[in-house]
């Protein structure tokens, strides 16, 4: 016995609802700002690690 009755229609509705939520979150200006901030931090970290690795190779 399944704990949740899933029909093709209910699965499709759940997927459509989840997709709509993703679009709403993606369009949120606060999310966009946080995403840019985190991307900037991530790429600075990569550049820092690359610089450190380059120094280790040279010495």
């Amino acid at each position: 016995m399944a704990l949740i009755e899933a029909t093709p229609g209910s699965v499709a509705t759940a997927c459509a609802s989840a997709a709509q939520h993703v679009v709403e979150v993606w369009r949120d200006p606060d999310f966009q700002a946080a995403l840019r901030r985190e991307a900037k931090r991530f790429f600075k970290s990569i550049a820092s690690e690359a610089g450190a690795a380059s120094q280790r190779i040279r010495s």
Side-chain angles (χ1 to χ4, degrees):
M1 180 174 147
L3 295 176
I4 298 173
E5 293 292 326
T7 63
S10 67
V11 171
T13 300
C15 288
S17 177
Q20 182 62 38
H21 179 69
V22 167
V23 169
E24 289 170 2
V25 169
W26 182 258
R27 290 181 177 167
D28 183 347
D30 291 335
F31 176 79
Q32 293 286 328
L35 187 63
R36 283 191 296 275
R37 186 172 50 249
E38 290 302 316
K40 187 175 181 181
R41 183 179 302 155
F42 175 72
F43 287 115
K44 278 185 176 180
S45 172
I46 290 174
S48 175
E49 286 296 321
S54 176
Q55 289 298 323
R56 286 191 299 272
I57 291 169
R58 290 181 190 175
S59 50

